[in-house]
Amino acid sequence: MPHPRTVILAATAVAASLALTACGSGEPAKSADSAPKKLSGEQRTITEPVIPIPQLQDSPQPQGGYGVVVCNNVNFSGCDNVPLYKEDAPEDFNNNTSSLKNPTPFSVTFYDNSNFSGDSITLKPHQELVSLNPSGAEKGINDRISSWQPQVETRAGEKAVLKVCTDNDLAGQCEDVPIAEGSAQLNDSISSIQNTSDFDVTFYADKGWRGQGITMPAHTYVRSIDPDGINSGLNDMISSWQPILSN
């Protein structure tokens, strides 16, 4: 039979242990500021079947073969067919455009400043405007256009349908991006891609859908753009992308 004093000491030790458990481990509590923070660019979930890196193309069809028509005068006079994406309008048309034609399957937004800023007007697919200021008032954008870019999501019916990440396996800094970008926010930083859209998408080495490229089929995932580490792909080189659409 245990000695009474031994029982009392054991009971005291158990009580002390329970008190320590209730109050914590005895270490200083970590402040909210010291706790790990989730980044908006955290790793994405893989939902599509993995495919090998697509074959590198030296010259994919630039800008999908599409362009818009800008005119110096109303009623489509003094016109030229120009690229679909322009950070700075050509000199002849910068602040000197009075009518527009959009023969493409994309909606295209025209801005009164360079680099896609300021007041804007958007033409729907295949829309034409004989005058940018039909009322004669200063409310229009006549002789003010300085840049333009496509808004492909209106055609695709989807916005954030691509997952692009700076590391392999959809890790590192990641972003959910529209199906078309003429100038990527993660420029020259992308190492893995997931295409959750219903469209094949071409990714280009240069801004404005130019340079070498790879085309990813709809609903596919490439875990590494440069799996061999020998620049066989477009690892850390992608600057723009667009879907392959039919007219």
Side-chain angles (χ1 to χ4, degrees):
M1 179 176 180
H3 192 279
R5 186 169 182 275
T6 303
V7 173
I8 293 171
L9 290 175
T12 303
V14 170
S17 175
L18 291 173
L20 183 62
T21 301
C23 296
S25 63
E27 296 179 0
K30 292 184 178 181
S31 66
D33 292 339
S34 65
K37 296 180 179 179
K38 283 189 175 182
L39 301 176
S40 60
E42 64 187 359
Q43 182 167 356
R44 295 313 194 247
T45 301
I46 298 169
T47 60
E48 309 298 336
V50 64
I51 61 170
I53 180 173
Q55 183 176 358
L56 185 65
Q57 306 168 59
D58 285 333
S59 184
Q61 187 178 22
Q63 299 195 26
Y66 296 115
V68 293
V69 178
V70 294
C71 306
N72 293 137
N73 307 313
V74 298
N75 298 315
F76 312 121
S77 173
C79 302
D80 195 8
N81 195 323
V82 295
L84 186 61
Y85 168 95
K86 271 292 183 181
E87 292 177 286
D88 294 286
E91 184 177 355
D92 290 346
F93 296 95
N94 186 45
N95 293 327
N96 191 27
T97 298
S98 294
S99 55
L100 297 167
K101 290 183 180 182
N102 176 19
T104 79
F106 311 100
S107 289
V108 180
T109 300
F110 297 83
Y111 304 83
D112 76 338
N113 295 328
S114 60
N115 296 311
F116 323 117
S117 61
D119 294 338
S120 66
I121 184 172
T122 298
L123 269 65
K124 296 179 180 179
H126 309 292
Q127 183 180 0
E128 300 179 354
L129 286 178
V130 296
S131 174
L132 297 182
N133 196 10
S135 65
E138 295 182 359
K139 295 179 181 179
I141 199 168
N142 185 58
D143 287 341
R144 293 171 57 198
I145 288 175
S146 294
S147 61
W148 52 84
Q149 65 177 343
Q151 306 294 336
V152 182
E153 62 268 20
T154 59
R155 163 73 179 189
E158 298 173 313
K159 291 187 178 180
V161 292
L162 304 176
K163 322 291 182 183
V164 295
C165 299
T166 56
D167 293 344
N168 295 344
D169 302 309
L170 294 185
Q173 182 181 356
C174 297
E175 298 292 343
D176 300 338
V177 295
I179 200 169
E181 285 281 357
S183 180
Q185 184 173 0
L186 291 179
N187 183 53
D188 291 343
S189 300
I190 296 170
S191 292
S192 56
I193 303 170
Q194 184 165 243
N195 177 9
T196 61
S197 78
D198 294 330
F199 299 91
D200 295 350
V201 178
T202 299
F203 295 82
Y204 300 83
D206 299 331
K207 294 180 180 180
W209 309 290
R210 302 287 182 181
Q212 292 182 307
I214 57 173
T215 298
M216 282 186 63
H219 297 288
T220 56
Y221 159 57
V222 173
R223 63 169 301 273
S224 175
I225 296 175
D226 191 17
D228 300 323
I230 54 174
N231 294 322
S232 58
L234 285 182
N235 188 53
D236 291 342
M237 292 173 60
I238 288 174
S239 296
S240 60
W241 54 84
Q242 67 175 347
I244 299 176
L245 301 175
S246 58
N247 287 307

PDB file of all heavy atoms in Angstrom, residues 76-103:
ATOM      1  N   PHE A  76     -14.492  56.947 -92.213  1.00  0.00           N
ATOM      2  CA  PHE A  76     -13.455  56.006 -92.620  1.00  0.00           C
ATOM      3  C   PHE A  76     -12.594  56.539 -93.773  1.00  0.00           C
ATOM      4  O   PHE A  76     -12.357  55.861 -94.766  1.00  0.00           O
ATOM      5  CB  PHE A  76     -14.077  54.657 -92.985  1.00  0.00           C
ATOM      6  CG  PHE A  76     -15.066  54.164 -91.962  1.00  0.00           C
ATOM      7  CD1 PHE A  76     -16.377  53.906 -92.308  1.00  0.00           C
ATOM      8  CD2 PHE A  76     -14.680  53.982 -90.636  1.00  0.00           C
ATOM      9  CE1 PHE A  76     -17.286  53.468 -91.356  1.00  0.00           C
ATOM     10  CE2 PHE A  76     -15.597  53.548 -89.680  1.00  0.00           C
ATOM     11  CZ  PHE A  76     -16.902  53.289 -90.040  1.00  0.00           C
ATOM     12  N   SER A  77     -12.116  57.739 -93.589  1.00  0.00           N
ATOM     13  CA  SER A  77     -11.202  58.362 -94.543  1.00  0.00           C
ATOM     14  C   SER A  77      -9.823  58.505 -93.904  1.00  0.00           C
ATOM     15  O   SER A  77      -9.718  58.858 -92.723  1.00  0.00           O
ATOM     16  CB  SER A  77     -11.723  59.740 -94.968  1.00  0.00           C
ATOM     17  OG  SER A  77     -10.771  60.426 -95.769  1.00  0.00           O
ATOM     18  N   GLY A  78      -8.782  58.225 -94.673  1.00  0.00           N
ATOM     19  CA  GLY A  78      -7.420  58.297 -94.146  1.00  0.00           C
ATOM     20  C   GLY A  78      -7.147  57.195 -93.142  1.00  0.00           C
ATOM     21  O   GLY A  78      -6.719  57.467 -92.018  1.00  0.00           O
ATOM     22  N   CYS A  79      -7.366  55.940 -93.564  1.00  0.00           N
ATOM     23  CA  CYS A  79      -7.325  54.804 -92.628  1.00  0.00           C
ATOM     24  C   CYS A  79      -6.091  53.925 -92.810  1.00  0.00           C
ATOM     25  O   CYS A  79      -5.432  53.954 -93.860  1.00  0.00           O
ATOM     26  CB  CYS A  79      -8.578  53.940 -92.811  1.00  0.00           C
ATOM     27  SG  CYS A  79     -10.141  54.804 -92.579  1.00  0.00           S
ATOM     28  N   ASP A  80      -5.829  53.125 -91.790  1.00  0.00           N
ATOM     29  CA  ASP A  80      -4.776  52.124 -91.863  1.00  0.00           C
ATOM     30  C   ASP A  80      -5.157  50.961 -90.963  1.00  0.00           C
ATOM     31  O   ASP A  80      -5.834  51.137 -89.940  1.00  0.00           O
ATOM     32  CB  ASP A  80      -3.439  52.708 -91.410  1.00  0.00           C
ATOM     33  CG  ASP A  80      -2.261  51.821 -91.822  1.00  0.00           C
ATOM     34  OD1 ASP A  80      -2.468  50.847 -92.576  1.00  0.00           O
ATOM     35  OD2 ASP A  80      -1.127  52.106 -91.376  1.00  0.00           O
ATOM     36  N   ASN A  81      -4.741  49.746 -91.364  1.00  0.00           N
ATOM     37  CA  ASN A  81      -4.954  48.550 -90.558  1.00  0.00           C
ATOM     38  C   ASN A  81      -3.766  48.412 -89.625  1.00  0.00           C
ATOM     39  O   ASN A  81      -2.622  48.288 -90.070  1.00  0.00           O
ATOM     40  CB  ASN A  81      -5.082  47.320 -91.466  1.00  0.00           C
ATOM     41  CG  ASN A  81      -5.655  46.123 -90.727  1.00  0.00           C
ATOM     42  OD1 ASN A  81      -5.355  45.915 -89.558  1.00  0.00           O
ATOM     43  ND2 ASN A  81      -6.448  45.325 -91.418  1.00  0.00           N
ATOM     44  N   VAL A  82      -4.002  48.418 -88.318  1.00  0.00           N
ATOM     45  CA  VAL A  82      -2.926  48.438 -87.323  1.00  0.00           C
ATOM     46  C   VAL A  82      -3.053  47.248 -86.384  1.00  0.00           C
ATOM     47  O   VAL A  82      -4.108  46.615 -86.311  1.00  0.00           O
ATOM     48  CB  VAL A  82      -2.953  49.760 -86.523  1.00  0.00           C
ATOM     49  CG1 VAL A  82      -2.649  50.946 -87.427  1.00  0.00           C
ATOM     50  CG2 VAL A  82      -4.295  49.947 -85.832  1.00  0.00           C
ATOM     51  N   PRO A  83      -1.976  46.902 -85.666  1.00  0.00           N
ATOM     52  CA  PRO A  83      -2.034  45.762 -84.738  1.00  0.00           C
ATOM     53  C   PRO A  83      -3.124  45.908 -83.689  1.00  0.00           C
ATOM     54  O   PRO A  83      -3.547  47.012 -83.342  1.00  0.00           O
ATOM     55  CB  PRO A  83      -0.639  45.775 -84.094  1.00  0.00           C
ATOM     56  CG  PRO A  83       0.235  46.429 -85.106  1.00  0.00           C
ATOM     57  CD  PRO A  83      -0.630  47.475 -85.754  1.00  0.00           C
ATOM     58  N   LEU A  84      -3.539  44.768 -83.188  1.00  0.00           N
ATOM     59  CA  LEU A  84      -4.641  44.697 -82.225  1.00  0.00           C
ATOM     60  C   LEU A  84      -4.269  45.285 -80.870  1.00  0.00           C
ATOM     61  O   LEU A  84      -5.137  45.653 -80.087  1.00  0.00           O
ATOM     62  CB  LEU A  84      -5.044  43.234 -82.065  1.00  0.00           C
ATOM     63  CG  LEU A  84      -6.256  42.868 -81.241  1.00  0.00           C
ATOM     64  CD1 LEU A  84      -7.514  43.482 -81.823  1.00  0.00           C
ATOM     65  CD2 LEU A  84      -6.394  41.362 -81.165  1.00  0.00           C
ATOM     66  N   TYR A  85      -2.988  45.382 -80.609  1.00  0.00           N
ATOM     67  CA  TYR A  85      -2.499  45.825 -79.303  1.00  0.00           C
ATOM     68  C   TYR A  85      -1.452  46.906 -79.512  1.00  0.00           C
ATOM     69  O   TYR A  85      -0.463  46.707 -80.232  1.00  0.00           O
ATOM     70  CB  TYR A  85      -1.888  44.620 -78.593  1.00  0.00           C
ATOM     71  CG  TYR A  85      -1.080  44.914 -77.347  1.00  0.00           C
ATOM     72  CD1 TYR A  85      -1.654  44.838 -76.090  1.00  0.00           C
ATOM     73  CD2 TYR A  85       0.272  45.239 -77.438  1.00  0.00           C
ATOM     74  CE1 TYR A  85      -0.911  45.076 -74.946  1.00  0.00           C
ATOM     75  CE2 TYR A  85       1.025  45.481 -76.298  1.00  0.00           C
ATOM     76  CZ  TYR A  85       0.434  45.396 -75.059  1.00  0.00           C
ATOM     77  OH  TYR A  85       1.180  45.635 -73.933  1.00  0.00           O
ATOM     78  N   LYS A  86      -1.650  48.081 -78.927  1.00  0.00           N
ATOM     79  CA  LYS A  86      -0.688  49.164 -79.062  1.00  0.00           C
ATOM     80  C   LYS A  86      -0.612  49.966 -77.755  1.00  0.00           C
ATOM     81  O   LYS A  86      -1.581  50.603 -77.358  1.00  0.00           O
ATOM     82  CB  LYS A  86      -1.080  50.101 -80.208  1.00  0.00           C
ATOM     83  CG  LYS A  86      -0.514  49.716 -81.570  1.00  0.00           C
ATOM     84  CD  LYS A  86       0.998  49.883 -81.602  1.00  0.00           C
ATOM     85  CE  LYS A  86       1.557  49.565 -82.972  1.00  0.00           C
ATOM     86  NZ  LYS A  86       3.036  49.716 -82.971  1.00  0.00           N
ATOM     87  N   GLU A  87       0.566  49.932 -77.123  1.00  0.00           N
ATOM     88  CA  GLU A  87       0.765  50.752 -75.926  1.00  0.00           C
ATOM     89  C   GLU A  87       0.880  52.234 -76.292  1.00  0.00           C
ATOM     90  O   GLU A  87       0.527  53.100 -75.501  1.00  0.00           O
ATOM     91  CB  GLU A  87       2.036  50.309 -75.203  1.00  0.00           C
ATOM     92  CG  GLU A  87       1.948  48.925 -74.595  1.00  0.00           C
ATOM     93  CD  GLU A  87       3.259  48.508 -73.965  1.00  0.00           C
ATOM     94  OE1 GLU A  87       4.205  48.185 -74.701  1.00  0.00           O
ATOM     95  OE2 GLU A  87       3.320  48.519 -72.716  1.00  0.00           O
ATOM     96  N   ASP A  88       1.389  52.476 -77.499  1.00  0.00           N
ATOM     97  CA  ASP A  88       1.514  53.837 -78.020  1.00  0.00           C
ATOM     98  C   ASP A  88       1.059  53.821 -79.467  1.00  0.00           C
ATOM     99  O   ASP A  88       1.614  53.072 -80.288  1.00  0.00           O
ATOM    100  CB  ASP A  88       2.962  54.345 -77.932  1.00  0.00           C
ATOM    101  CG  ASP A  88       3.421  54.502 -76.494  1.00  0.00           C
ATOM    102  OD1 ASP A  88       2.980  55.466 -75.838  1.00  0.00           O
ATOM    103  OD2 ASP A  88       4.211  53.660 -76.028  1.00  0.00           O
ATOM    104  N   ALA A  89       0.065  54.630 -79.786  1.00  0.00           N
ATOM    105  CA  ALA A  89      -0.474  54.663 -81.144  1.00  0.00           C
ATOM    106  C   ALA A  89       0.595  55.125 -82.133  1.00  0.00           C
ATOM    107  O   ALA A  89       1.489  55.909 -81.779  1.00  0.00           O
ATOM    108  CB  ALA A  89      -1.678  55.603 -81.195  1.00  0.00           C
ATOM    109  N   PRO A  90       0.532  54.658 -83.387  1.00  0.00           N
ATOM    110  CA  PRO A  90       1.453  55.161 -84.403  1.00  0.00           C
ATOM    111  C   PRO A  90       1.353  56.683 -84.512  1.00  0.00           C
ATOM    112  O   PRO A  90       0.286  57.266 -84.295  1.00  0.00           O
ATOM    113  CB  PRO A  90       0.965  54.479 -85.683  1.00  0.00           C
ATOM    114  CG  PRO A  90       0.242  53.258 -85.219  1.00  0.00           C
ATOM    115  CD  PRO A  90      -0.374  53.628 -83.904  1.00  0.00           C
ATOM    116  N   GLU A  91       2.449  57.307 -84.853  1.00  0.00           N
ATOM    117  CA  GLU A  91       2.510  58.773 -84.855  1.00  0.00           C
ATOM    118  C   GLU A  91       1.406  59.410 -85.699  1.00  0.00           C
ATOM    119  O   GLU A  91       0.822  60.436 -85.309  1.00  0.00           O
ATOM    120  CB  GLU A  91       3.880  59.222 -85.372  1.00  0.00           C
ATOM    121  CG  GLU A  91       4.097  60.716 -85.332  1.00  0.00           C
ATOM    122  CD  GLU A  91       5.489  61.112 -85.777  1.00  0.00           C
ATOM    123  OE1 GLU A  91       6.314  60.207 -86.017  1.00  0.00           O
ATOM    124  OE2 GLU A  91       5.747  62.330 -85.902  1.00  0.00           O
ATOM    125  N   ASP A  92       1.108  58.801 -86.834  1.00  0.00           N
ATOM    126  CA  ASP A  92       0.095  59.387 -87.733  1.00  0.00           C
ATOM    127  C   ASP A  92      -1.307  59.373 -87.137  1.00  0.00           C
ATOM    128  O   ASP A  92      -2.185  60.117 -87.599  1.00  0.00           O
ATOM    129  CB  ASP A  92       0.083  58.646 -89.069  1.00  0.00           C
ATOM    130  CG  ASP A  92       1.339  58.909 -89.891  1.00  0.00           C
ATOM    131  OD1 ASP A  92       2.076  59.855 -89.541  1.00  0.00           O
ATOM    132  OD2 ASP A  92       1.580  58.160 -90.863  1.00  0.00           O
ATOM    133  N   PHE A  93      -1.522  58.513 -86.119  1.00  0.00           N
ATOM    134  CA  PHE A  93      -2.869  58.371 -85.565  1.00  0.00           C
ATOM    135  C   PHE A  93      -2.958  58.757 -84.085  1.00  0.00           C
ATOM    136  O   PHE A  93      -4.056  58.808 -83.541  1.00  0.00           O
ATOM    137  CB  PHE A  93      -3.366  56.935 -85.759  1.00  0.00           C
ATOM    138  CG  PHE A  93      -3.524  56.559 -87.199  1.00  0.00           C
ATOM    139  CD1 PHE A  93      -2.513  55.901 -87.887  1.00  0.00           C
ATOM    140  CD2 PHE A  93      -4.681  56.894 -87.883  1.00  0.00           C
ATOM    141  CE1 PHE A  93      -2.655  55.575 -89.223  1.00  0.00           C
ATOM    142  CE2 PHE A  93      -4.832  56.578 -89.225  1.00  0.00           C
ATOM    143  CZ  PHE A  93      -3.814  55.917 -89.901  1.00  0.00           C
ATOM    144  N   ASN A  94      -1.831  59.032 -83.469  1.00  0.00           N
ATOM    145  CA  ASN A  94      -1.855  59.428 -82.066  1.00  0.00           C
ATOM    146  C   ASN A  94      -2.541  60.786 -81.910  1.00  0.00           C
ATOM    147  O   ASN A  94      -2.134  61.776 -82.503  1.00  0.00           O
ATOM    148  CB  ASN A  94      -0.424  59.507 -81.518  1.00  0.00           C
ATOM    149  CG  ASN A  94      -0.398  59.764 -80.029  1.00  0.00           C
ATOM    150  OD1 ASN A  94      -1.139  59.149 -79.260  1.00  0.00           O
ATOM    151  ND2 ASN A  94       0.458  60.673 -79.610  1.00  0.00           N
ATOM    152  N   ASN A  95      -3.615  60.812 -81.141  1.00  0.00           N
ATOM    153  CA  ASN A  95      -4.425  62.034 -80.980  1.00  0.00           C
ATOM    154  C   ASN A  95      -4.888  62.581 -82.324  1.00  0.00           C
ATOM    155  O   ASN A  95      -5.033  63.787 -82.507  1.00  0.00           O
ATOM    156  CB  ASN A  95      -3.643  63.115 -80.224  1.00  0.00           C
ATOM    157  CG  ASN A  95      -3.388  62.732 -78.778  1.00  0.00           C
ATOM    158  OD1 ASN A  95      -4.207  62.058 -78.150  1.00  0.00           O
ATOM    159  ND2 ASN A  95      -2.255  63.139 -78.246  1.00  0.00           N
ATOM    160  N   ASN A  96      -5.124  61.653 -83.250  1.00  0.00           N
ATOM    161  CA  ASN A  96      -5.537  62.066 -84.589  1.00  0.00           C
ATOM    162  C   ASN A  96      -6.395  60.985 -85.238  1.00  0.00           C
ATOM    163  O   ASN A  96      -6.206  60.622 -86.396  1.00  0.00           O
ATOM    164  CB  ASN A  96      -4.300  62.365 -85.452  1.00  0.00           C
ATOM    165  CG  ASN A  96      -4.658  63.043 -86.766  1.00  0.00           C
ATOM    166  OD1 ASN A  96      -5.677  63.729 -86.872  1.00  0.00           O
ATOM    167  ND2 ASN A  96      -3.826  62.837 -87.777  1.00  0.00           N
ATOM    168  N   THR A  97      -7.334  60.451 -84.458  1.00  0.00           N
ATOM    169  CA  THR A  97      -8.227  59.404 -84.955  1.00  0.00           C
ATOM    170  C   THR A  97      -9.675  59.837 -84.766  1.00  0.00           C
ATOM    171  O   THR A  97     -10.074  60.241 -83.675  1.00  0.00           O
ATOM    172  CB  THR A  97      -7.974  58.078 -84.200  1.00  0.00           C
ATOM    173  OG1 THR A  97      -6.638  57.654 -84.438  1.00  0.00           O
ATOM    174  CG2 THR A  97      -8.948  57.000 -84.658  1.00  0.00           C
ATOM    175  N   SER A  98     -10.460  59.737 -85.850  1.00  0.00           N
ATOM    176  CA  SER A  98     -11.848  60.217 -85.813  1.00  0.00           C
ATOM    177  C   SER A  98     -12.886  59.161 -86.149  1.00  0.00           C
ATOM    178  O   SER A  98     -14.087  59.390 -85.979  1.00  0.00           O
ATOM    179  CB  SER A  98     -12.011  61.407 -86.763  1.00  0.00           C
ATOM    180  OG  SER A  98     -11.264  62.517 -86.309  1.00  0.00           O
ATOM    181  N   SER A  99     -12.468  58.006 -86.660  1.00  0.00           N
ATOM    182  CA  SER A  99     -13.407  56.902 -86.891  1.00  0.00           C
ATOM    183  C   SER A  99     -12.654  55.581 -86.767  1.00  0.00           C
ATOM    184  O   SER A  99     -11.428  55.530 -86.928  1.00  0.00           O
ATOM    185  CB  SER A  99     -14.086  57.024 -88.263  1.00  0.00           C
ATOM    186  OG  SER A  99     -13.141  57.122 -89.318  1.00  0.00           O
ATOM    187  N   LEU A 100     -13.410  54.519 -86.461  1.00  0.00           N
ATOM    188  CA  LEU A 100     -12.799  53.225 -86.150  1.00  0.00           C
ATOM    189  C   LEU A 100     -13.599  52.076 -86.738  1.00  0.00           C
ATOM    190  O   LEU A 100     -14.826  52.146 -86.841  1.00  0.00           O
ATOM    191  CB  LEU A 100     -12.730  53.027 -84.625  1.00  0.00           C
ATOM    192  CG  LEU A 100     -11.874  53.981 -83.793  1.00  0.00           C
ATOM    193  CD1 LEU A 100     -12.214  53.794 -82.314  1.00  0.00           C
ATOM    194  CD2 LEU A 100     -10.396  53.726 -84.036  1.00  0.00           C
ATOM    195  N   LYS A 101     -12.873  50.993 -87.055  1.00  0.00           N
ATOM    196  CA  LYS A 101     -13.503  49.734 -87.418  1.00  0.00           C
ATOM    197  C   LYS A 101     -12.835  48.622 -86.613  1.00  0.00           C
ATOM    198  O   LYS A 101     -11.613  48.560 -86.509  1.00  0.00           O
ATOM    199  CB  LYS A 101     -13.323  49.434 -88.913  1.00  0.00           C
ATOM    200  CG  LYS A 101     -14.093  50.326 -89.854  1.00  0.00           C
ATOM    201  CD  LYS A 101     -13.878  49.876 -91.304  1.00  0.00           C
ATOM    202  CE  LYS A 101     -14.636  50.736 -92.292  1.00  0.00           C
ATOM    203  NZ  LYS A 101     -14.456  50.271 -93.693  1.00  0.00           N
ATOM    204  N   ASN A 102     -13.672  47.761 -86.068  1.00  0.00           N
ATOM    205  CA  ASN A 102     -13.149  46.593 -85.350  1.00  0.00           C
ATOM    206  C   ASN A 102     -13.650  45.329 -86.042  1.00  0.00           C
ATOM    207  O   ASN A 102     -14.724  44.819 -85.736  1.00  0.00           O
ATOM    208  CB  ASN A 102     -13.610  46.604 -83.884  1.00  0.00           C
ATOM    209  CG  ASN A 102     -13.162  45.363 -83.142  1.00  0.00           C
ATOM    210  OD1 ASN A 102     -12.243  44.669 -83.579  1.00  0.00           O
ATOM    211  ND2 ASN A 102     -13.798  45.069 -82.018  1.00  0.00           N
ATOM    212  N   PRO A 103     -12.880  44.794 -86.998  1.00  0.00           N
ATOM    213  CA  PRO A 103     -13.313  43.609 -87.733  1.00  0.00           C
ATOM    214  C   PRO A 103     -13.005  42.301 -87.011  1.00  0.00           C
ATOM    215  O   PRO A 103     -13.203  41.224 -87.580  1.00  0.00           O
ATOM    216  CB  PRO A 103     -12.505  43.714 -89.029  1.00  0.00           C
ATOM    217  CG  PRO A 103     -11.238  44.377 -88.610  1.00  0.00           C
ATOM    218  CD  PRO A 103     -11.614  45.335 -87.496  1.00  0.00           C
TER     219      PRO A 103
END
